[in-house]
């Protein structure tokens, strides 16, 4: 008993008190595109980007593809691309995941509809379809003692029957097509889809693979996109909070 | 063996043409010789035959402590049959299944020629898996998955039970197959790192390192010793973090709640340490061919040291509680046993094999560079049960933490130069192994006449250990499956690629 108490005591307070205002030291998060002019004709960043996330003409980075690998910033001769430890990067539309010098931050519009239904309690069913266990572990982490999202009423459930939101990770493999459909069909209305990680949002590094079938997402467009490879738990938690217009 | 150069014990690299193609009969004999002389099979796989469109090369890779890697090759025309090696050497079973699925060679006499991952023409045909059937009035089947209760990867498990008791478990994987090896063939050999890091995303460092050291050996680059140390730190942080994840998972599954929360939050400390150094909690973009993207700056070194010292204090408390708790012992001891002989026969590797009394660990057997000067102690347990697998993990956490602290002792910072450009020679081959937290990670690359990727093989230890899990649950009550599964902690995506 004493030992148990000792462990409990050593544990202290572990939760991040305010997930909207944390400071993840060292985290390579939201890329910033600076105002400096690129060198004439330079395409280096786009050439090395493994996910074709950069549009050099408009100088935009698509966070739906970006894996935050920093290859681009390493070849840039003028330091146009740098990273901040900003973790709020989720978006409610695919387009607004593109960041540029002018539009530096993806936007989430509070969904009035989802807020009125799920504002106080949201049950999530996660389906990994080709994920590498990065996104899966970070999703699981939002429920651990540090991030502890159950304080906001967010919870993962075992059965699709109990779920409101379907959280998809991985690039959507052919071999998971049927199981994914079944899980979604098994969820009662009202329901919605959340795409977590570059693979789910755009195919990421696997976008050109012959082993994917992403048609599910054409039929059921996500209401929330959470970028990263894998996304930080803070990115996920804040995405959910912001979508539902919650203060945290 | 003649041909490829041994650059370190864990890498073999050089001209592909230097490896001779044996006739089947000589190959077969050489395999037997290897095994008789206490070599262990590391991998067996098919690759295309250069200069012969219709040919397929069969590769077998062996190792022995302190003597590195050896490779044997033979070739067949497409569609050929060859006598299966599995009946005599059961540890070939998953490799021959894979070869059959990938290139269509037929190992005749293989007892269990089932799909490994439903790739190629099998894609999408998940419903056609030929399950083993147990007949009888008292027999019933329980199927779970592909989607499981928690936030985990998909795979299907089918139990054939007598009452509560599992007679046989069949593990049907492939749901995570995303065509990784095919995509690798479409990219530049020197730029595969981001993809390789996602082969099994919880084993980023081990896979990245296997790839990097292979290319470096081909390019005959020698790295500054600091790079090795930083890579060692990265690898051991990954090991600690994932062992903690596993211990937290087992604890939760047996309702040992202090373990669930404490191991869980200690993992956060460790992956945040990785993030502090390289920007990512999963060590992405840390290792690259030719070096590392992130050394360890002065303020970071002292933070890492402080975190790990506090970590040592905290983990000791919870480990003591875990190891002395009746609940824990009762649930884990003698549950999910894989005896040493079975582990050896089916070719289990890594942490799970060590828990079954198998002495093998590349960090110790072959002493790759950062571990050579600062050796680790081998963590082996004999009982082969869930308890043993947890004990091995506990001991490895302690050893790795101490290893990192020793490596950082008296060091004010570790600065590493930006990696040089690595040029990959044409018509060459490397074989490379790194001991990741689950076990040996094996990579193979063959380049073509323009230095392009002709074949890339990634072998996560999970490929071999899944069958160990199936063995472990035999004769267990079905309710023991979750803890057996968690104690093995295998990768679905690493198997499915
Ligand atoms: S950080 Fe993002 S945009 Fe830059 S190269 Fe990597 S994937 Fe492309």
């Amino acid at each position: 008993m004493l030992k148990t108490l000792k462990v409990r005591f050593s544990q202290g307070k572990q939760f991040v008190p305010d997930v909207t205002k944390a400071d993840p030291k060292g985290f390579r998060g939201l890329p910033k595109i600076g105002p400096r002019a690129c060198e004439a004709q330079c395409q280096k960043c786009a050439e090395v980007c493994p996910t074709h996330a950069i549009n050099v003409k408009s100088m935009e980075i698509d966070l739906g593809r970006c894996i935050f690998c920093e290859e681009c910033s390493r070849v840039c001769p003028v330091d146009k691309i740098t990273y901040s430890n900003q973790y709020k990067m989720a978006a409610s539309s695919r387009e607004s995941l593109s960041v540029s010098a002018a539009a530096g931050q993806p936007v989430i519009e509070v969904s009035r509809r989802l807020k009125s239904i799920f504002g106080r309690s949201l049950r999530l069913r996660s389906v990994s379809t080709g994920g590498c266990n990065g996104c899966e572990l970070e999703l699981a982490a939002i429920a651990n003692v540090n991030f502890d999202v159950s304080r906001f009423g967010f919870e993962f459930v075992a059965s699709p029957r109990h779920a409101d939101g379907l959280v998809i990770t991985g690039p959507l493999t052919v071999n998971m097509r049927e199981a994914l459909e079944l899980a979604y069909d098994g969820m009662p209305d009202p329901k919605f889809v959340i795409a977590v990680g570059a693979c789910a949002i755009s195919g990421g590094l696997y976008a050109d693979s012959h082993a994917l079938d992403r048609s599910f997402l054409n039929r059921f467009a996500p209401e929330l996109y959470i970028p990263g490879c894998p996304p930080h738990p803070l990115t996920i938690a804040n995405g959910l909070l912001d979508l539902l217009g919650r203060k945290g | 063996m003649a041909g490829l150069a041994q650059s370190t014990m864990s890498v073999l690299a050089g001209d592909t043409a230097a490896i001779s193609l044996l006739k089947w009969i000589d190959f077969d004999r050489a395999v037997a010789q290897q095994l008789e002389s206490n070599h262990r099979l590391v991998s067996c796989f098919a690759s295309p035959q250069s200069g012969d469109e219709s040919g397929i090369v069969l590769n077998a890779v062996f190792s022995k402590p302190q003597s590195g890697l050896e490779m044997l090759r033979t070739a067949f025309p497409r569609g050929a049959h060859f006598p299966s090696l599995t009946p005599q050497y059961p540890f070939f079973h998953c490799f021959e299944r894979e070869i059959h699925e990938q290139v269509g060679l037929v190992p005749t006499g293989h007892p269990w020629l089932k799909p490994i991952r439903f790739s190629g023409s099998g894609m999408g045909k998940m419903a056609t898996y030929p399950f083993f059937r147990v007949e009888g009035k008292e027999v019933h089947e329980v199927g779970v998955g592909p989607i499981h209760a928690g936030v985990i990867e998909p795979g299907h498990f089918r139990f054939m039970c007598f009452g509560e008791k599992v007679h046989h478990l069949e593990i049907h994987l492939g749901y995570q197959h995303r065509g990784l090896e095919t995509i690798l063939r479409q990219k530049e050999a020197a730029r595969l790192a981001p993809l390789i890091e996602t082969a099994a995303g919880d084993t980023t460092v081990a896979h990245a390192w296997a790839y990097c050291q292979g290319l470096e050996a081909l390019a005959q680059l020698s790295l500054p010793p600091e790079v090795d140390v930083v890579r060692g730190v990265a690898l051991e942080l990954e090991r600690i973090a994932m062992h903690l994840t596993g211990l937290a998972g087992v604890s939760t599954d047996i309702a040992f709640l202090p373990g669930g929360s404490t191991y869980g939050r200690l993992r956060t400390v460790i992956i945040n340490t990785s993030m502090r150094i390289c920007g990512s909690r999963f060590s992405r973009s840390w290792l690259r061919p030719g070096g590392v993207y992130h050394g360890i700056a002065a303020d970071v070194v002292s933070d890492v040291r402080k975190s790990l010292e506090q970590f040592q204090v905290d983990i000791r408390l919870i480990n003591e509680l875990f190891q002395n708790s009746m609940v824990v012992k009762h649930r884990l001891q003698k549950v999910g046993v894989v005896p040493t002989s079975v582990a050896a026969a089916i070719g289990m590797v890594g942490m799970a094999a060590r828990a079954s009394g198998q002495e093998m660990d590349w960090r110790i057997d072959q002493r790759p560079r950062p571990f050579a000067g600062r050796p680790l102690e081998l963590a082996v347990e004999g009982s082969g049960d869930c308890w043993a697998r947890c004990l091995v993990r506990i001991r490895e956490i302690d050893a790795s933490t101490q290893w990192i602290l020793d490596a950082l002792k008296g060091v004010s910072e570790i600065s590493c130069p930006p990696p040089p450009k690595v040029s990959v020679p044409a018509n060459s081959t490397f074989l490379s192994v790194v001991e990741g937290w689950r076990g040996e990670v094996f990579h193979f690359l063959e380049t073509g006449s323009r230095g392009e990727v002709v074949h890339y093989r990634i072998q996560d230890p999970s490929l071999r250990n899944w069958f160990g899990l199936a063995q472990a649950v035999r004769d267990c009550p079905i309710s023991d499956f979750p803890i057996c599964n968690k104690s093995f902690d295998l990768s679905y995506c690493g198997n499915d690629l």
Side-chain angles (χ1 to χ4, degrees):
Chain A
M1 187 63 202
L2 267 181
K3 279 204 180 126
T4 314
L5 285 175
K6 214 165 155 201
V7 168
R8 180 63 196 83
F9 185 72
S10 81
Q11 188 77 337
K13 279 199 190 114
Q14 288 300 328
F15 68 101
V16 179
D18 185 349
V19 295
T20 66
K21 294 197 188 71
D23 176 26
K25 267 197 185 166
F27 173 56
R28 185 165 55 249
L30 185 66
K32 300 265 180 226
I33 298 176
R36 290 179 70 172
C38 296
E39 284 183 359
Q41 311 296 325
C42 177
Q43 308 239 2
K44 287 188 179 137
C45 58
E47 280 159 14
V48 295
C49 177
T51 57
H52 312 293
I54 304 178
N55 181 335
V56 229
K57 269 210 200 101
S58 53
M59 208 45 226
E60 285 179 307
I61 297 183
D62 176 1
L63 296 187
R65 291 170 182 259
C66 180
I67 57 160
F68 302 80
C69 65
E70 67 174 84
E71 301 291 343
C72 52
S73 68
R74 286 183 170 265
V75 295
C76 179
V78 299
D79 283 338
K80 191 150 178 81
I81 304 172
T82 52
Y83 302 88
S84 64
N85 77 342
Q86 171 62 269
Y87 50 83
K88 290 190 187 175
M89 291 185 267
S92 49
S93 75
R94 182 70 183 84
E95 301 72 52
S96 81
L97 282 172
S98 283
V99 295
S100 60
Q105 168 91 43
V107 276
I108 297 195
E109 284 182 30
V110 176
S111 162
R112 286 256 204 75
R113 188 179 68 88
L114 295 176
K115 180 181 178 180
S116 74
I117 311 171
F118 304 121
R120 285 150 176 266
S121 145
L122 177 66
R123 298 284 178 266
L124 301 169
R125 173 63 249 192
S126 124
V127 174
S128 167
T129 126
C132 73
N133 207 20
C135 287
E136 292 74 10
L137 282 169
E138 290 299 48
L139 266 178
I142 68 170
N144 71 13
V145 291
N146 305 106
F147 301 103
D148 188 26
V149 295
S150 61
R151 63 182 132 160
F152 310 122
F154 305 152
E155 215 172 289
F156 288 104
V157 292
S159 169
R161 293 268 189 255
H162 303 154
D164 311 313
L166 179 70
V167 182
I168 300 181
T169 53
L172 287 90
T173 62
V174 171
N175 287 353
M176 267 301 278
R177 176 175 50 203
E178 203 189 334
L180 176 65
E181 295 274 350
L182 282 172
Y184 185 74
D185 288 348
M187 289 167 58
D189 283 320
K191 57 185 168 184
F192 68 105
V193 173
I194 300 169
V196 170
C199 284
I201 299 173
S202 66
L205 287 161
Y206 295 89
D208 301 329
S209 171
H210 66 289
L212 307 184
D213 179 349
R214 298 179 48 79
S215 59
F216 178 89
L217 291 177
N218 302 335
R219 282 175 289 130
F220 307 105
E223 306 260 358
L224 182 62
Y225 299 86
I226 303 179
C229 183
H232 195 288
L234 288 167
T235 309
I236 307 173
N238 278 278
L240 293 169
L241 287 170
D242 290 344
L243 180 71
L244 300 177
R246 299 273 307 265
K247 296 239 161 54
Chain B
M1 107 145 253
L4 302 188
Q6 188 97 54
S7 78
T8 76
M9 290 293 189
S10 322
V11 196
L12 211 55
D15 277 354
T16 312
I19 328 170
S20 46
L21 274 181
L22 303 174
K23 287 208 197 80
W24 167 256
I25 171 163
D26 297 325
F27 176 87
D28 190 36
R29 199 176 300 139
V31 166
Q33 266 163 13
Q34 289 280 332
L35 295 171
E36 275 155 27
S37 58
N38 290 326
H39 285 72
R40 190 170 60 75
L41 181 71
V42 175
S43 183
C44 179
F45 60 98
S47 60
Q49 185 171 3
S50 70
D52 184 354
E53 287 281 293
S54 64
I56 288 167
V57 175
L58 187 68
N59 308 274
V61 181
F62 298 88
S63 86
K64 188 171 159 174
Q66 270 105 58
S67 71
L69 289 155
E70 296 189 30
M71 187 182 205
L72 301 172
R73 304 190 113 185
T74 184
F76 292 108
R78 217 161 267 279
H81 291 231
F82 66 96
S84 168
L85 295 162
T86 303
Q88 197 179 353
Y89 311 115
F91 41 79
F92 273 93
H93 78 106
C94 54
F95 298 126
E96 289 186 339
R97 283 169 63 182
E98 189 184 38
I99 291 163
H100 178 63
E101 180 172 43
Q102 286 182 338
V103 298
L105 294 181
V106 186
T108 45
H110 191 292
W112 199 255
L113 210 49
K114 303 182 179 193
I116 287 274
R117 59 176 73 91
F118 289 86
S119 58
S121 61
M123 221 156 53
K125 300 187 183 148
M126 306 307 279
T128 62
Y129 186 90
F131 286 101
F132 183 68
R133 292 200 66 101
V134 179
E135 310 263 314
K137 258 222 215 111
E138 313 279 307
V139 182
H140 66 103
E141 285 187 354
V142 181
V144 286
I147 302 177
H148 302 284
V151 185
I152 57 166
E153 297 180 68
H156 182 89
F157 302 106
R158 190 165 297 187
F159 303 89
M160 287 105 214
C161 308
F162 292 118
E164 282 290 291
K165 216 188 231 183
V166 178
H167 182 66
H168 174 66
L169 160 62
E170 185 116 13
I171 301 173
H172 159 25
L173 301 175
Y175 296 92
Q176 298 287 69
H177 176 61
R178 52 213 187 281
L180 174 55
E181 289 179 339
T182 311
I183 314 179
L184 291 174
R185 289 198 291 273
Q186 296 154 0
K187 310 259 169 198
E188 235 177 273
R191 292 220 195 139
L192 305 179
L195 269 163
I196 298 239
E197 288 181 333
T198 64
D202 50 25
T203 315
T204 306
V205 178
H207 279 285
W209 197 347
Y211 161 68
C212 292
Q213 72 180 9
L215 278 196
E216 288 150 7
L218 275 185
Q220 296 181 349
L221 270 183
S222 57
L223 303 184
E226 298 81 46
V227 168
D228 287 320
V229 174
V230 172
R231 287 179 176 182
V233 170
L235 185 73
E236 297 314 307
L237 284 173
E238 180 168 273
R239 184 179 327 274
I240 301 169
M242 288 312 297
H243 281 350
L244 289 165
T245 310
L247 290 168
V250 170
S251 299
T252 307
D253 280 353
I254 58 174
F256 177 65
L257 298 181
S261 55
T262 308
Y263 286 127
R265 71 105 181 159
L266 288 175
R267 167 181 177 256
T268 308
V269 172
I270 299 297
I271 57 178
N272 284 353
T273 303
S274 295
M275 174 171 78
R276 184 88 170 80
I277 305 174
C278 79
S280 156
R281 302 196 341 147
F282 284 75
S283 309
R284 301 290 162 88
S285 296
W286 192 347
L287 278 63
R288 283 294 181 268
V292 288
Y293 272 178
H294 301 272
I296 313 182
D299 55 328
V300 182
V301 168
S302 69
D303 279 5
V304 171
R305 203 180 285 133
K306 260 186 250 147
S307 306
L308 289 185
E309 279 162 358
Q310 183 58 45
F311 172 81
Q312 280 186 320
V313 174
D314 292 348
I315 190 129
R316 195 170 304 137
L317 289 172
I318 182 65
N319 280 347
E320 247 182 82
L321 194 64
F322 183 91
Q323 283 167 277
N324 293 314
S325 155
M326 284 309 287
V327 184
V328 175
K329 285 195 223 169
H330 176 70
R331 284 301 286 123
L332 302 182
Q333 287 180 346
K334 302 200 173 64
V335 171
V337 179
V338 183
T340 310
S341 57
V342 174
I346 63 176
M348 268 168 56
V349 291
M351 172 267 288
R354 291 194 285 279
S356 285
Q358 294 273 88
E359 296 188 1
M360 54 160 95
D361 186 328
W362 282 79
R363 295 171 302 161
I364 291 152
D365 299 342
Q366 316 288 3
R367 297 272 169 94
R369 236 176 338 228
F371 302 105
R374 212 170 278 110
L376 285 150
E377 203 186 308
L378 187 69
V380 184
E381 293 287 330
S383 55
D385 48 6
C386 292
W387 174 249
R389 289 185 282 279
C390 288
L391 288 189
V392 167
R393 300 181 91 167
I394 285 175
R395 290 172 55 188
E396 290 186 0
I397 290 172
D398 288 346
S400 298
T401 314
Q402 195 53 53
W403 189 89
I404 298 173
L405 282 170
D406 290 347
L408 297 181
K409 193 175 278 165
V411 169
S412 56
E413 66 172 323
I414 308 183
S415 65
C416 297
K421 198 175 175 319
V422 176
S423 52
V424 184
N427 299 319
S428 341
T429 292
F430 77 64
L431 322 174
S432 162
V433 181
V434 169
E435 185 79 26
W437 64 272
R438 279 192 189 92
E440 63 191 23
V441 162
F442 170 80
H443 283 218
F444 166 92
L445 165 76
E446 185 173 330
T447 61
S449 55
R450 291 166 286 112
E452 80 280 15
V453 181
V454 171
H455 194 74
Y456 201 103
R457 170 176 180 76
I458 294 179
Q459 183 180 308
D460 191 83
S462 307
L463 175 72
R464 310 183 76 180
N465 281 3
W466 276 111
F467 196 62
L469 172 62
Q471 293 295 316
V473 296
R474 284 205 173 170
D475 294 329
C476 279
I478 188 168
S479 51
D480 283 345
F481 173 70
I483 53 177
C484 292
N485 191 18
K486 218 39 273 159
S487 74
F488 272 83
D489 221 339
L490 300 175
S491 173
Y492 302 74
C493 59
N495 181 86
D496 295 350
L497 301 176

